[in-house]
Amino acid sequence: MPMLKYEQIADSLRHRITEGEFGPGDLLPSGRDLCEQWGVSRATVNKAFDVLRADGAIVAHQGLGFRVTEMPLARSAGGRRSDATRLSGGRPFRRLGKPVREVPPAHVADALGLHPGETALRRDRLVLLADGSPLSLVTAWFPPDVADRCPKLAQAKPIVEGATHYVTRQTSRSPLQGTDVTTVRLAREVEAEVLGRDLPLAVAVDLHVARDKTGNALVCEEGVTPSDLWERVDNYPMAT
């Protein structure tokens, strides 16, 4: 299904941001300029800006227009329903270390459909609370076919448009099915250290797998959150 015009504009701006044409804090082209460039109405351009704002990629500045966000947002693992945005579920985060290719744990390899001994690209981030203290340690694993086509995943710096949009744009594969599994266990020593907690520490572990229309995995994320900070709320209709 072809993208609508406002989606094309938003996707083009995401690409220009990710490729470094516009850096953190930079002003984007004005609405008038984009209207002339794309031959569309101001309402269409505003819709594109709304999409990028919901992603947390840009912020509005009264009288100036829109700037690339200084602090990209990230979400904890799981809860990636189609109506969930990075802005509503996102928090500040720190990228931990440099992404590396390594053999993932067996349960992650199984979720990604990897052969024994096959490597995946690992990216770690620490999602933060409002006061800057740790909330959740999230490890994202990308299978080799995705990592090979998305070179910016191997860079240490955050991807402002978000990894999901970047992977979709680079591979033409959209996440259409998500699976979340939540378990509880005791934290490992390295996890407790990163989270700034003492052992023993009970943690909730969210395992999230996103798959494309063919059922192939795009990413597997594992989020580790101290039990006293973990909460999930679902609102849903009930039959009478």
Side-chain angles (χ1 to χ4, degrees), residues 128-187:
L128 307 173
L129 294 167
D131 62 2
S133 60
L135 168 63
S136 185
L137 170 62
V138 181
T139 299
W141 298 91
F142 295 89
D145 60 328
V146 172
D148 289 345
R149 296 188 61 183
C150 303
K152 290 191 181 297
L153 291 175
Q155 298 180 3
K157 65 181 181 181
I159 298 173
V160 176
E161 68 173 293
T164 298
H165 285 301
Y166 174 62
V167 167
T168 298
R169 190 160 48 74
Q170 289 291 110
T171 66
S172 298
R173 295 165 59 192
S174 302
L176 293 185
Q177 180 184 4
T179 301
D180 294 346
V181 178
T182 303
T183 56
V184 294
R185 61 169 169 81
L186 293 177

Coordinates of all heavy atoms in Angstrom, one line a residue, residues 128-187:
L128 N 15.7 5.7 31.7 CA 15.8 6.5 33.0 C 14.5 7.0 33.5 O 13.6 7.3 32.7 CB 16.8 7.7 32.8 CG 18.2 7.3 32.2 CD1 18.9 8.6 31.9 CD2 18.9 6.5 33.2
L129 N 14.4 7.2 34.8 CA 13.3 7.9 35.4 C 13.4 9.4 35.2 O 14.5 9.8 34.8 CB 13.2 7.5 36.9 CG 12.8 6.0 37.2 CD1 13.1 5.7 38.6 CD2 11.4 5.7 36.8
A130 N 12.4 10.1 35.6 CA 12.5 11.6 35.5 C 13.6 12.2 36.2 O 14.2 13.2 35.8 CB 11.1 12.2 35.9
D131 N 14.0 11.6 37.3 CA 15.1 12.2 38.1 C 16.5 11.7 37.6 O 17.5 12.0 38.2 CB 14.9 11.8 39.6 CG 15.0 10.3 39.9 OD1 15.2 9.5 39.0 OD2 14.8 10.0 41.1
G132 N 16.5 10.9 36.6 CA 17.8 10.5 36.0 C 18.3 9.1 36.5 O 19.3 8.6 36.1
S133 N 17.5 8.6 37.5 CA 17.9 7.3 38.0 C 17.5 6.1 37.1 O 16.5 6.3 36.3 CB 17.4 7.1 39.4 OG 16.0 7.1 39.4
P134 N 18.1 5.0 37.2 CA 17.8 3.9 36.2 C 16.4 3.3 36.4 O 15.9 3.1 37.6 CB 18.9 2.8 36.5 CG 20.0 3.6 37.2 CD 19.3 4.6 38.0
L135 N 15.7 3.0 35.3 CA 14.4 2.3 35.4 C 14.5 0.9 34.8 O 14.1 0.0 35.5 CB 13.4 3.1 34.6 CG 12.1 2.4 34.3 CD1 11.3 2.1 35.6 CD2 11.2 3.2 33.3
S136 N 15.1 0.8 33.6 CA 15.2 -0.5 33.0 C 16.4 -0.6 32.1 O 16.8 0.3 31.4 CB 13.9 -0.6 32.1 OG 13.8 -1.9 31.5
L137 N 17.0 -1.8 32.2 CA 18.1 -2.1 31.3 C 17.6 -2.9 30.1 O 17.0 -4.0 30.3 CB 19.2 -3.0 32.0 CG 20.3 -3.6 31.2 CD1 21.1 -2.5 30.5 CD2 21.2 -4.5 32.1
V138 N 17.7 -2.4 28.9 CA 17.1 -3.0 27.7 C 18.2 -3.4 26.7 O 19.1 -2.6 26.4 CB 16.1 -2.1 27.0 CG1 15.5 -2.8 25.8 CG2 15.0 -1.6 27.9
T139 N 18.2 -4.7 26.4 CA 19.2 -5.2 25.4 C 18.4 -5.6 24.1 O 17.5 -6.4 24.2 CB 19.9 -6.4 25.9 OG1 20.7 -6.0 27.0 CG2 20.9 -6.9 24.8
A140 N 18.7 -4.9 23.0 CA 18.1 -5.2 21.7 C 19.0 -6.0 20.9 O 20.2 -5.7 20.7 CB 17.7 -3.9 21.0
W141 N 18.4 -7.1 20.3 CA 19.2 -8.0 19.4 C 18.6 -8.0 18.0 O 17.4 -8.2 17.8 CB 19.1 -9.4 19.9 CG 19.7 -9.6 21.3 CD1 19.1 -9.5 22.5 CD2 21.1 -10.0 21.6 NE1 20.0 -9.8 23.5 CE2 21.2 -10.1 23.0 CE3 22.2 -10.3 20.8 CZ2 22.4 -10.5 23.6 CZ3 23.4 -10.6 21.4 CH2 23.5 -10.7 22.8
F142 N 19.4 -7.6 17.0 CA 19.0 -7.6 15.6 C 19.6 -8.7 14.9 O 20.8 -8.9 14.9 CB 19.4 -6.3 15.0 CG 18.7 -5.1 15.6 CD1 19.3 -4.4 16.7 CD2 17.5 -4.6 15.1 CE1 18.6 -3.3 17.3 CE2 16.9 -3.5 15.7 CZ 17.4 -2.9 16.8
P143 N 18.8 -9.5 14.1 CA 19.4 -10.6 13.4 C 20.3 -10.1 12.3 O 20.2 -8.9 11.8 CB 18.1 -11.3 12.8 CG 17.1 -10.3 12.8 CD 17.3 -9.4 13.9
P144 N 21.2 -10.9 11.8 CA 22.2 -10.5 10.8 C 21.6 -9.9 9.5 O 22.2 -8.9 9.0 CB 23.1 -11.7 10.5 CG 22.3 -12.9 11.1 CD 21.4 -12.4 12.2
D145 N 20.5 -10.4 9.0 CA 20.0 -9.9 7.8 C 19.5 -8.5 8.0 O 19.5 -7.7 7.0 CB 18.9 -10.8 7.2 CG 17.7 -11.0 8.2 OD1 17.9 -10.9 9.4 OD2 16.5 -11.2 7.8
V146 N 19.0 -8.1 9.2 CA 18.6 -6.8 9.5 C 19.8 -5.9 9.7 O 19.9 -4.8 9.2 CB 17.6 -6.7 10.7 CG1 17.4 -5.3 11.1 CG2 16.3 -7.4 10.4
A147 N 20.7 -6.3 10.5 CA 21.9 -5.6 10.9 C 22.7 -5.2 9.6 O 23.3 -4.1 9.5 CB 22.8 -6.3 11.9
D148 N 22.8 -6.2 8.7 CA 23.6 -5.9 7.5 C 23.1 -4.8 6.6 O 23.8 -4.1 6.0 CB 23.7 -7.2 6.6 CG 24.6 -8.3 7.3 OD1 25.3 -8.0 8.2 OD2 24.4 -9.4 6.8
R149 N 21.8 -4.6 6.7 CA 21.1 -3.6 5.8 C 20.9 -2.3 6.6 O 20.4 -1.3 6.0 CB 19.8 -4.1 5.3 CG 19.9 -5.3 4.4 CD 18.6 -5.7 3.7 NE 18.1 -4.6 2.9 CZ 16.9 -4.7 2.3 NH1 16.2 -5.8 2.3 NH2 16.5 -3.7 1.5
C150 N 21.2 -2.3 7.8 CA 21.0 -1.1 8.7 C 22.3 -0.7 9.4 O 22.5 -0.9 10.6 CB 19.9 -1.3 9.7 SG 18.3 -1.8 9.0
P151 N 23.3 -0.1 8.7 CA 24.6 0.1 9.2 C 24.6 1.1 10.4 O 25.5 0.9 11.3 CB 25.4 0.7 8.1 CG 24.4 1.2 7.1 CD 23.2 0.3 7.3
K152 N 23.6 2.0 10.5 CA 23.6 2.9 11.7 C 23.3 2.2 13.0 O 23.5 2.8 14.1 CB 22.7 4.1 11.4 CG 23.2 5.0 10.3 CD 22.4 6.3 10.2 CE 22.9 7.1 9.1 NZ 24.3 7.6 9.3
L153 N 22.7 1.0 12.9 CA 22.5 0.3 14.2 C 23.8 -0.1 14.9 O 23.9 -0.3 16.1 CB 21.8 -1.0 13.9 CG 20.3 -0.9 13.4 CD1 19.8 -2.3 13.1 CD2 19.4 -0.3 14.5
A154 N 24.9 -0.1 14.1 CA 26.2 -0.5 14.7 C 26.9 0.8 15.3 O 28.0 0.6 15.9 CB 27.1 -1.1 13.6
Q155 N 26.3 1.9 15.2 CA 26.9 3.1 15.8 C 26.4 3.3 17.2 O 25.3 2.9 17.6 CB 26.5 4.4 15.0 CG 27.0 4.3 13.5 CD 26.6 5.6 12.7 OE1 26.0 6.5 13.3 NE2 27.0 5.6 11.4
A156 N 27.3 3.9 18.0 CA 27.0 4.0 19.4 C 25.9 5.1 19.7 O 25.2 5.0 20.7 CB 28.3 4.4 20.2
K157 N 25.9 6.1 18.9 CA 24.9 7.2 19.1 C 23.5 6.8 18.9 O 23.2 5.9 18.1 CB 25.3 8.4 18.3 CG 25.1 8.2 16.8 CD 25.5 9.5 16.1 CE 25.4 9.3 14.6 NZ 25.8 10.5 13.8
P158 N 22.5 7.4 19.5 CA 21.1 7.1 19.3 C 20.7 7.4 17.9 O 21.2 8.3 17.2 CB 20.4 8.0 20.3 CG 21.4 8.4 21.3 CD 22.7 8.5 20.6
I159 N 19.7 6.7 17.5 CA 19.0 7.0 16.2 C 17.8 7.8 16.5 O 16.8 7.3 17.0 CB 18.7 5.7 15.4 CG1 19.9 4.9 15.2 CG2 17.9 6.0 14.1 CD1 19.7 3.5 14.6
V160 N 17.8 9.1 16.1 CA 16.8 10.1 16.6 C 15.4 9.6 16.1 O 14.4 9.8 16.8 CB 17.1 11.5 16.1 CG1 16.0 12.4 16.5 CG2 18.4 12.0 16.7
E161 N 15.3 9.1 14.9 CA 14.0 8.8 14.3 C 13.5 7.5 15.0 O 12.3 7.2 14.9 CB 14.0 8.6 12.8 CG 14.8 7.3 12.4 CD 14.7 7.1 10.9 OE1 13.6 6.7 10.5 OE2 15.7 7.2 10.2
G162 N 14.3 6.8 15.7 CA 13.9 5.5 16.4 C 14.3 4.3 15.5 O 14.3 4.4 14.3
A163 N 14.8 3.3 16.1 CA 15.3 2.1 15.4 C 14.2 1.5 14.6 O 14.5 1.0 13.5 CB 15.9 1.1 16.4
T164 N 13.0 1.5 15.1 CA 11.9 0.8 14.3 C 11.7 1.5 13.0 O 11.6 0.8 11.9 CB 10.6 0.9 15.1 OG1 10.8 0.1 16.3 CG2 9.4 0.2 14.3
H165 N 11.6 2.8 13.0 CA 11.4 3.5 11.7 C 12.6 3.4 10.8 O 12.5 3.2 9.6 CB 11.2 5.0 12.0 CG 9.8 5.4 12.5 ND1 8.7 5.0 11.8 CD2 9.4 6.0 13.6 CE1 7.6 5.5 12.5 NE2 8.0 6.0 13.6
Y166 N 13.8 3.4 11.4 CA 15.0 3.3 10.6 C 15.1 1.9 9.9 O 15.3 1.8 8.7 CB 16.2 3.5 11.5 CG 17.6 3.2 10.8 CD1 18.0 4.0 9.7 CD2 18.4 2.2 11.3 CE1 19.2 3.7 9.1 CE2 19.6 2.0 10.6 CZ 20.0 2.7 9.5 OH 21.2 2.5 8.9
V167 N 14.8 0.8 10.7 CA 14.8 -0.5 10.1 C 13.8 -0.7 9.0 O 14.0 -1.3 8.0 CB 14.6 -1.6 11.2 CG1 14.3 -2.9 10.7 CG2 15.8 -1.6 12.2
T168 N 12.6 -0.1 9.3 CA 11.5 -0.2 8.3 C 11.9 0.5 7.0 O 11.7 -0.1 5.9 CB 10.2 0.4 8.8 OG1 9.8 -0.3 10.0 CG2 9.1 0.4 7.8
R169 N 12.5 1.6 7.1 CA 12.9 2.4 5.9 C 14.1 1.7 5.2 O 14.1 1.7 3.9 CB 13.3 3.8 6.3 CG 13.5 4.8 5.2 CD 13.5 6.2 5.7 NE 14.2 6.4 6.9 CZ 15.6 6.5 6.9 NH1 16.2 6.4 5.8 NH2 16.2 6.8 8.0
Q170 N 15.0 1.1 5.9 CA 16.2 0.5 5.3 C 15.8 -0.9 4.6 O 16.4 -1.2 3.6 CB 17.3 0.3 6.3 CG 18.0 1.6 6.7 CD 18.8 2.2 5.6 OE1 18.4 3.3 5.1 NE2 19.9 1.6 5.3
T171 N 14.9 -1.6 5.2 CA 14.7 -3.0 4.8 C 13.3 -3.1 4.1 O 13.1 -4.2 3.5 CB 14.6 -3.9 6.0 OG1 13.5 -3.6 6.8 CG2 15.9 -3.8 6.8
S172 N 12.5 -2.1 4.1 CA 11.1 -2.2 3.6 C 10.3 -3.3 4.3 O 9.4 -3.9 3.7 CB 11.1 -2.4 2.1 OG 11.8 -1.3 1.4
R173 N 10.7 -3.6 5.5 CA 10.0 -4.6 6.3 C 9.4 -3.9 7.6 O 10.1 -3.4 8.4 CB 10.9 -5.7 6.7 CG 11.4 -6.5 5.5 CD 12.6 -7.4 5.9 NE 12.3 -8.4 7.0 CZ 13.2 -9.0 7.7 NH1 14.5 -8.9 7.4 NH2 12.8 -9.9 8.6
S174 N 8.1 -3.9 7.7 CA 7.4 -3.3 8.8 C 7.1 -4.3 9.9 O 6.8 -5.5 9.6 CB 6.1 -2.6 8.4 OG 6.4 -1.7 7.4
P175 N 7.2 -3.9 11.2 CA 6.7 -4.8 12.2 C 5.2 -4.9 12.3 O 4.5 -3.9 12.6 CB 7.3 -4.1 13.5 CG 7.4 -2.7 13.2 CD 7.7 -2.6 11.7
L176 N 4.7 -6.1 12.0 CA 3.2 -6.3 12.0 C 2.7 -7.1 13.1 O 1.5 -7.1 13.4 CB 2.8 -6.9 10.6 CG 3.0 -6.0 9.4 CD1 2.5 -6.7 8.2 CD2 2.4 -4.7 9.5
Q177 N 3.6 -7.9 13.8 CA 3.2 -8.7 14.9 C 4.2 -8.6 16.0 O 5.4 -8.7 15.8 CB 3.0 -10.1 14.5 CG 2.6 -11.0 15.6 CD 2.5 -12.5 15.2 OE1 2.9 -12.9 14.1 NE2 2.1 -13.3 16.2
G178 N 3.7 -8.3 17.2 CA 4.6 -8.2 18.4 C 4.2 -9.3 19.4 O 3.0 -9.5 19.6
T179 N 5.1 -9.9 20.0 CA 4.9 -10.8 21.1 C 5.7 -10.4 22.3 O 6.9 -10.1 22.3 CB 5.4 -12.3 20.7 OG1 4.7 -12.7 19.5 CG2 5.1 -13.3 21.8
D180 N 5.0 -10.3 23.4 CA 5.6 -9.9 24.7 C 5.4 -11.0 25.7 O 4.3 -11.5 25.9 CB 4.9 -8.6 25.3 CG 5.2 -7.4 24.5 OD1 6.1 -7.5 23.6 OD2 4.5 -6.4 24.7
V181 N 6.5 -11.4 26.4 CA 6.4 -12.4 27.4 C 7.1 -11.8 28.7 O 8.2 -11.3 28.6 CB 7.1 -13.7 27.0 CG1 7.1 -14.7 28.2 CG2 6.5 -14.3 25.8
T182 N 6.4 -11.8 29.8 CA 7.0 -11.2 31.0 C 7.2 -12.4 32.0 O 6.3 -13.2 32.3 CB 6.0 -10.2 31.6 OG1 5.8 -9.1 30.7 CG2 6.6 -9.6 32.9
T183 N 8.4 -12.4 32.6 CA 8.7 -13.4 33.6 C 9.4 -12.6 34.8 O 9.7 -11.4 34.7 CB 9.7 -14.4 33.1 OG1 10.8 -13.8 32.5 CG2 9.0 -15.3 32.0
V184 N 9.6 -13.3 35.9 CA 10.3 -12.7 37.0 C 11.4 -13.7 37.4 O 11.4 -14.9 37.3 CB 9.3 -12.5 38.2 CG1 8.3 -11.5 37.9 CG2 8.7 -13.8 38.6
R185 N 12.5 -13.1 37.9 CA 13.7 -13.8 38.4 C 14.5 -12.9 39.2 O 14.2 -11.7 39.4 CB 14.5 -14.4 37.2 CG 15.0 -13.3 36.3 CD 16.0 -13.9 35.3 NE 16.4 -13.1 34.2 CZ 17.3 -12.1 34.3 NH1 17.9 -11.9 35.4 NH2 17.7 -11.4 33.2
L186 N 15.6 -13.4 39.7 CA 16.6 -12.6 40.4 C 17.6 -12.0 39.4 O 18.0 -12.7 38.4 CB 17.4 -13.5 41.5 CG 16.5 -14.0 42.7 CD1 17.4 -14.8 43.6 CD2 15.9 -12.8 43.4
A187 N 18.0 -10.8 39.7 CA 18.9 -10.1 38.8 C 20.3 -10.8 38.8 O 20.7 -11.3 39.9 CB 19.0 -8.7 39.2

